[in-house]
Amino acid sequence: MASNFPLIKVTTTQLQQLTGALWSWSVCGECSSGKPCQTEECPWQRSTILGRFFQTYKEITASYDAGVKVGQRPGLTSHEDLIKIIEELKSNSEVTREEILEKLFTDRPTRSDQERAINIAVRVMLMVNCSTSRQSPVLLEHGSQQVPWRGDIPFSEFITNTFPKTDHPSIDQIKDNLRATKLKKRAGIRFEPTDDLRNHLKLDRKRAVVEIFHHTAFLKEHLRLTRDQPRNMSVADSINLGALPRELALETLATLQTILFPLTDAKSKALLLSLTSTTTQNFDTDVLRYDSSTIRDPLRPEAILYHYFGSRLGDLYEELANPTPRGMEKWFERRSGARYVMMATIAGVFLAIFFSMASLALGGYQAWVGYQQWQHPVQGTG
């Protein structure tokens, strides 16, 4: 009997196949056979750095529940099935959702499960939680909104729509003030990890939480693929390499290691280190590692314009300048409306009258005591 959770286990060989599908890794013979690596150029030597990404992959795939009826074939029966979908998306960036479904699956009764298989493949490739055009009300209720990839939209267009560009000319004037240590101290901001790149720097003012996409080792693999490519590479060409748009990956990394947690600042690095602990937020430990030559060409410097996350940096600056009231401060703010001001004024008037009458009574009593002392002086005993 087939398991309802067919991807609950993953082997080292399957992880090696995954890296080959995602980033075209060519693993040496020693690593493939489980022997100590003797090849200096073998990319599998970086597998330890990708431990946090592999952990996320295992969590994503282990939770896949093949909810199909007896006799029906699920969208995924093995990790190899998932890798096949990834390779198909990578080789044809202009394919629509409907086209890839028609090409890879023929069993119509399980189309909803096949849709989930596509969603998982996209999530592993891009670290983006996507869905069909039909959004689950349960997910919306719990704040886990997925970005829809409609059936008639090409894969490359889906990525472009998911990460739109906007201009933020004022970023250069504010970015030096956005250190995480300042946000924590002045605005009470906390930092939590997200495995969805779309939610990077998303501020929840009510909870005083900023989500951080922390998978820097994942981002660096994408940047290695595009390091020596033309800087005007299209989104479609990037996908064919197995990479996110280079500007997007660079900007995400810069917001982490240059703006929020500059690694040259001791306090910022100490805060970032605390977030990597498994007892706190379990950030990818690679966030503490700065890479330059392996992901950037020193002969071709690249300016980061913050087209993708500039607006969220602006939100953080606004929160720093005008922190959202919380706790007792929020209680007082809620009672600062016109109605409460009027009530407070009336209460103040009554209190003033009360204290005035009390003062008058006290003055009268003191005068009576003085009069009695004058009428009945105390005779000396001498």
Side-chain angles (χ1 to χ4, degrees):
M1 181 179 178
S3 171
N4 284 340
F5 297 91
L7 309 186
I8 197 167
K9 295 181 180 180
V10 58
T11 65
T12 299
T13 299
Q14 288 169 331
L15 289 178
Q16 291 174 345
Q17 292 171 346
L18 174 68
T19 58
L22 290 174
W23 309 309
S24 302
W25 280 18
S26 180
V27 180
C28 71
E30 289 84 0
C31 291
S32 297
S33 58
K35 299 177 181 179
C37 184
Q38 303 295 326
T39 307
E40 186 176 346
E41 296 80 16
C42 178
W44 189 248
Q45 293 188 17
R46 298 197 299 273
S47 61
T48 54
I49 300 175
L50 283 158
R52 190 66 178 81
F53 169 71
F54 288 148
Q55 178 185 339
T56 301
Y57 173 80
K58 292 174 183 177
E59 291 169 356
I60 293 171
T61 54
S63 63
Y64 169 69
D65 181 3
V68 295
K69 298 178 181 179
V70 177
Q72 292 180 333
R73 178 180 173 84
L76 298 172
T77 60
S78 65
H79 290 274
E80 287 73 16
D81 286 346
L82 178 59
I83 289 170
K84 182 179 179 181
I85 299 174
I86 291 172
E87 290 174 336
E88 187 65 34
L89 288 170
K90 181 179 171 181
S91 65
N92 187 3
S93 59
E94 299 300 325
V95 69
T96 66
R97 189 182 186 99
E98 285 295 337
E99 287 170 345
I100 195 170
L101 282 167
E102 291 294 334
K103 182 175 182 178
L104 297 178
F105 305 105
T106 57
D107 191 357
R108 281 282 182 179
T110 58
R111 181 49 57 97
S112 62
D113 188 66
Q114 295 158 4
E115 295 271 15
R116 288 196 296 130
I118 299 296
N119 295 342
I120 293 173
V122 172
R123 189 174 178 187
V124 171
M125 283 184 71
L126 308 176
M127 297 297 273
V128 169
N129 197 4
C130 87
S131 70
T132 63
S133 57
R134 299 176 296 276
Q135 182 66 64
S136 166
V138 175
L139 290 172
L140 286 172
E141 182 180 351
H142 288 83
S144 302
Q145 186 173 4
Q146 301 166 307
V147 59
W149 178 17
R150 298 200 311 271
D152 59 341
I153 300 297
F155 187 42
S156 61
E157 186 177 337
F158 159 73
I159 297 174
T160 302
N161 295 340
T162 300
F163 297 102
K165 289 185 178 182
T166 54
D167 290 327
H168 298 279
S170 63
I171 291 300
D172 287 337
Q173 284 74 49
I174 68 173
K175 63 183 183 181
D176 291 339
N177 297 315
L178 291 176
R179 290 186 181 182
T181 49
K182 287 185 179 180
L183 290 166
K184 180 181 179 181
K185 182 177 180 180
R186 298 182 185 178
I189 294 295
R190 295 178 293 111
F191 305 93
E192 293 183 356
T194 178
D195 298 327
D196 191 334
L197 182 54
R198 291 179 311 124
N199 292 337
H200 182 56
L201 300 185
K202 187 176 181 181
L203 172 63
D204 185 335
R205 285 186 168 87
K206 185 177 180 181
R207 297 174 56 232
V209 166
V210 174
E211 294 184 58
I212 301 293
F213 182 79
H214 60 107
H215 291 282
T216 55
F218 169 85
L219 292 172
K220 290 172 186 177
E221 288 304 320
H222 290 253
L223 290 170
R224 286 186 176 92
L225 290 171
T226 57
R227 178 187 183 276
D228 300 319
Q229 298 298 322
R231 293 296 178 252
N232 59 350
M233 176 182 287
S234 67
V235 173
D237 289 338
S238 295
I239 297 169
N240 291 337
L241 281 177
L244 288 162
R246 183 170 178 83
E247 285 182 83
L248 173 61
L250 276 174
E251 184 175 323
T252 308
L253 201 60
T255 57
L256 261 172
Q257 297 185 327
T258 304
I259 296 182
L260 288 181
F261 303 94
L263 298 182
T264 54
D265 177 65
K267 291 183 179 179
S268 298
K269 192 170 184 178
L271 175 58
L272 189 57
L273 176 62
S274 70
L275 295 173
T276 63
S277 171
T278 55
T279 60
T280 56
Q281 299 298 340
N282 200 21
F283 277 29
D284 185 353
T285 56
D286 182 74
V287 296
L288 297 165
R289 186 181 298 107
Y290 183 82
D291 291 271
S292 181
S293 60
T294 59
I295 62 175
R296 299 176 179 88
D297 184 350
L299 300 179
R300 293 193 296 170
E302 300 168 84
I304 299 176
L305 303 177
Y306 299 100
H307 287 314
Y308 294 102
F309 298 110
S311 61
R312 290 183 177 174
L313 290 173
D315 291 341
L316 293 179
Y317 183 77
E318 175 62 27
E319 184 66 16
L320 184 65
N322 301 290
T324 302
R326 301 179 186 93
M328 288 300 296
E329 186 180 357
K330 184 175 182 180
W331 186 88
F332 281 116
E333 184 191 63
R334 285 180 174 177
R335 284 149 182 79
S336 63
R339 177 184 176 190
Y340 287 103
V341 169
M342 178 63 70
M343 292 174 64
T345 302
I346 294 173
V349 170
F350 278 108
L351 284 172
I353 293 173
F354 171 78
F355 285 119
S356 296
M357 292 178 66
S359 177
L360 183 61
L362 180 61
Y365 175 74
Q366 289 174 334
W368 179 81
V369 170
Y371 174 76
Q372 291 297 319
Q373 288 177 341
W374 178 70
Q375 286 288 330
H376 308 282
V378 179
Q379 300 298 322
T381 59

